[in-house]
Amino acid sequence: MYSLGELADRLDLQFSGDATRPITGIANLASAGPSDLSFFVERKYLEQLRTTGAAAVIVAAEYAQQCPVDCLLSDHPYLMFARASQLFDGTPQPQPGVHAAATVAAEARVHPSASVGPHAVVEAGAEIGAGSVLGAGAYLGHGSRIGERTRVCANAVIYHDVQVGSDCVIHSQAVLGADGFGFAQGPRGWEKIVQSGGVRMGDRVEIGACTTVDRGALEHTVIEDGVIIDNQVQIAHNCRIGKNTAIAGCSGIAGSAIIGANCTLAGGVGVVGHVEICDNVHVTGMTMVTRSITEPGSYSSGTPMAATGEWKRNAVRFSQLDAIQARLASLEKQR
Amino acid sequence: MYSLGELADRLDLQFSGDATRPITGIANLASAGPSDLSFFVERKYLEQLRTTGAAAVIVAAEYAQQCPVDCLLSDHPYLMFARASQLFDGTPQPQPGVHAAATVAAEARVHPSASVGPHAVVEAGAEIGAGSVLGAGAYLGHGSRIGERTRVCANAVIYHDVQVGSDCVIHSQAVLGADGFGFAQGPRGWEKIVQSGGVRMGDRVEIGACTTVDRGALEHTVIEDGVIIDNQVQIAHNCRIGKNTAIAGCSGIAGSAIIGANCTLAGGVGVVGHVEICDNVHVTGMTMVTRSITEPGSYSSGTPMAATGEWKRNAVRFSQLDAIQARLASLEKQR
Amino acid sequence: MYSLGELADRLDLQFSGDATRPITGIANLASAGPSDLSFFVERKYLEQLRTTGAAAVIVAAEYAQQCPVDCLLSDHPYLMFARASQLFDGTPQPQPGVHAAATVAAEARVHPSASVGPHAVVEAGAEIGAGSVLGAGAYLGHGSRIGERTRVCANAVIYHDVQVGSDCVIHSQAVLGADGFGFAQGPRGWEKIVQSGGVRMGDRVEIGACTTVDRGALEHTVIEDGVIIDNQVQIAHNCRIGKNTAIAGCSGIAGSAIIGANCTLAGGVGVVGHVEICDNVHVTGMTMVTRSITEPGSYSSGTPMAATGEWKRNAVRFSQLDAIQARLASLEKQR
């Protein structure tokens, strides 16, 4: 719980209203109650702002007049909402120390302020930094390292020779460092190329649930500082994902692809192997990136959704497109 | 084992044949043996019906003449096959009780008839109802609840503040309640919006292996009664999936999307955030739903598969489509 | 560590250079140091070959002249690199035996040379063959079997009645044998069809992290010898994947699809249910296979990526394609 004045202080914001007003949580404008903080970001919610039952609202100065309750004034209300949400973080925190039902190798180093949950495993040579959490049932392989204040959630798996930075979150069932998909064709079928590279992840990285980041074939797969990756994403061996890039759910990045900094990939995007995407590129949902991108901007592929009957009539013409263009060219010649 | 008469009784069906005939399992028409029950649904298997070696067949009355063996008569043979399969369910059932190698918080409540497997974890404030199973290595977070007769398979993870109803199945590696993908852009990069909502799931819900259902940002993510979700599906924060909707494998539903009741999404479908899909909508495989759907019916996107050479010739024309239409318009003006 | 002569012997290759030269690892041409083995496969790396600091290089005879260091001569340098990588495999190997923190049913059979990691579970009737590894936290269900020298990585789950062959790798969070997505529609909503088939996997199969292979409805799902499957792939119930077929990440194969031998599916491919794909088919990335394929060759669907503005102008014309063709036909009639 904070008073409004304390919140303003923590967020470094001006406020108007009762400094002593108690604030106990955060809520949307429509559902906020008399001890909740809310926030106003999009004009379409203006009516909700005018009628909110919140204790106070984070709002840009130009809308303060229309806020019927106390205000925290900010030019960046969404960002301030994010920071406020961190102040009210109610995620259960485990006790420091190694749980009696964990299995930690004698040769591992776990900082006394770190927490290792029940049935978690820490292999020889692994290290866990101050304030970090290895959740219940999670696995940390030989020689792998977790920085400080990083949270590895229940049952996540980190193979050997993987380094995770500080202030990261690795969600459940994520897998860091499984073998890249490397095989050579031989007379006996596929022969495995042992994947001897590791994974190197920077600080403030978030890895979603069921997301996989493969180890490198010979060199490392690299995830730079501040990268955020949603659930169900596949990052193949020897990829490099640049600083502060965001990748939404169900995307797949094939081997040795290099993605620049500050890119955003929407959901379901595919990137083929060995391409390079420059900084500041946005890729729209379910696009397939089939070649390198050298200019910042937004890129897309795919076709519009339609009722299936209508779609079918058009889709069949797609298969005739080259012929259609030839017919058109033929008519053009005749005129 | 049932006799044919007992089966007819259990399924509330008429039968013709030997009431005492022993039935020990279910099989397809072609492979069924002399103590197997089979079923006939599609006309294309008529020859298999005529030559089946089954003990008995669930069949519509109009085909009973062509069935060489005993019959269970039903207007809904596929549904009756489903119910019969439940009678012969041979899935191994664990013993009730908490396994000695499980870790259950003192403040958790586990019904005496429930089962908690080895290396499973139940956190403080969590509850497991009568007859439910928390499989080996599975995790149930703080304050989360599982109803009655629900089966959570090995290594599945349920974060804190997640409620799962009764008669559900949660398959292995499913993750319920991981953080939604919520971040605000700030001067230091992405700043996390703490996801303080939970997940609320109704009764008779099935969640496939490696499927993820994120917790809400401020309010809950909701999965209504009777929803069935296949493997490898991503349901983002604050989605609402309506009653009896079915979502096939590898689909991804982005944040705050609302899907109505009795919808069917085929495999690999993507739904963008904040759209609304009404009841009784079918979406065909790998379609991207980019806008709200307000009319029941079937919807599609994508292009037909072809041999790669032919596809390339047409695909390159896709990139010229606007020009092709302009050329066509120009010809039309001249006529 | 090997000497160059020993390596040549193990790989059955001719060499030129110092037979006693110590080789301690493998590296790319550009980064290899004086005790590393490297390999030359693609002409575009010729300059790297000429300047490599490796101890020795696997190279085709025609390029040996341009290699400044010792050579191992092979017509198949990539395959030989794969085999060499196996000789230098540094993946940590667990001790044989059952870890004290594992839970193994009395009625299970674990070969003395096999390893069962901490918090792993082996149910009654399960078997683990010689030299195999069931990793930490992994689960092996009732009556399931693992052959010899197979590695099941941490937290992978194998349900009951699943057979895995010899020399396989099953990566973390993979799920073998979860229920197929089988339901019948009834008056009370979806009714589950109990999935009573199992999974049968051959030898030398690799299953990627977070990949799911469902059990069959009545008969088995089958993965034949030598199949390699990347991460995040879904194989539905009753599929059959033919010998030596490779499936890249994020692909999904719907129920009862049959894929032949020696096929390659690139990433993100979808295959609808009940189709049959013959041997030696290649499917390009993110293609949707909507019908059976009876001729070997390469198949594709989708549209080319473009800048979003340009793409939009063309995509909107896709929705008019049938009309465009009609307009074209009308003009053609008039000429």
Side-chain angles (χ1 to χ4, degrees), chain C:
Chain C
M1 205 202 68
Y2 298 88
S3 71
L4 183 63
E6 284 168 338
L7 268 185
D9 204 49
R10 293 276 193 136
L11 299 172
D12 196 18
L13 296 179
Q14 305 285 1
F15 73 97
S16 69
D18 176 1
T20 67
R21 189 181 303 282
I23 309 282
T24 61
I26 307 192
N28 287 320
L29 286 168
S31 56
S35 67
D36 286 328
L37 176 67
S38 194
F39 61 102
F40 173 72
V41 177
E42 291 185 73
R43 265 195 70 88
K44 67 175 171 181
Y45 296 117
L46 193 54
E47 192 50 37
Q48 291 188 10
L49 174 65
R50 287 177 180 142
T51 59
T52 189
V57 178
I58 307 174
V59 67
E62 59 189 296
Y63 292 103
Q65 295 280 53
Q66 303 184 60
C67 178
V69 297
D70 291 357
C71 293
L72 288 165
L73 300 170
S74 171
D75 293 342
H76 307 287
Y78 195 62
L79 177 60
M80 290 304 131
F81 155 59
R83 291 189 185 163
S85 79
Q86 295 163 18
L87 296 176
F88 289 100
D89 188 355
T91 307
Q93 300 300 326
Q95 299 288 326
V98 175
H99 193 281
T103 298
V104 178
E107 306 83 354
R109 296 202 314 201
V110 178
H111 192 277
S113 65
S115 168
V116 177
H119 318 302
V121 174
V122 183
E123 300 280 13
E127 289 182 40
I128 303 180
S132 285
V133 174
L134 187 70
Y139 177 87
L140 184 64
H142 294 77
S144 289
R145 293 204 307 227
I146 294 172
E148 303 184 351
R149 297 170 305 281
T150 282
R151 177 162 62 110
V152 178
C153 298
N155 287 0
V157 170
I158 300 176
Y159 281 58
H160 60 284
D161 190 16
V162 172
Q163 294 182 13
V164 177
S166 294
D167 300 300
C168 297
V169 181
I170 312 297
H171 278 287
S172 289
Q173 319 300 22
V175 180
L176 309 181
D179 288 347
F181 197 57
F183 297 84
Q185 245 170 335
R188 311 189 292 243
W190 296 104
E191 301 199 20
K192 188 172 178 75
I193 297 166
V194 171
Q195 304 289 298
S196 59
V199 178
R200 294 296 177 267
M201 283 178 36
D203 298 331
R204 291 168 292 106
V205 169
E206 177 133 351
I207 299 289
C210 289
T211 280
T212 49
V213 180
D214 279 349
R215 64 191 315 106
L218 291 170
E219 298 175 3
H220 300 313
T221 303
V222 177
I223 311 285
E224 298 186 357
D225 290 346
V227 168
I228 54 174
I229 303 182
D230 197 359
N231 297 351
Q232 310 268 6
V233 172
Q234 152 72 351
I235 309 286
H237 52 180
N238 299 105
C239 285
R240 174 180 284 267
I241 312 293
K243 215 172 153 179
N244 292 331
T245 279
I247 302 180
C250 307
S251 291
I253 318 295
S256 300
I258 295 176
I259 300 184
N262 300 307
C263 293
T264 48
L265 276 59
V269 164
V271 177
V272 303
H274 295 272
V275 299
E276 204 159 330
I277 298 179
C278 67
D279 295 352
N280 298 302
V281 164
H282 175 67
V283 182
T284 63
M286 293 177 83
T287 291
M288 184 170 179
V289 178
T290 48
R291 55 177 169 81
S292 289
I293 297 178
T294 56
E295 294 292 324
S298 178
Y299 295 84
S300 304
S301 70
T303 71
M305 182 187 75
T308 299
E310 184 193 332
W311 168 79
K312 272 190 183 159
R313 284 191 296 276
N314 291 312
V316 72
R317 300 305 178 191
F318 177 87
S319 306
Q320 304 164 354
L321 266 183
D322 194 41
I324 284 174
Q325 122 72 24
R327 287 159 58 193
L328 182 59
S330 159
L331 283 180
E332 285 169 331
K333 267 193 207 152
Q334 294 168 26
R335 67 180 165 175

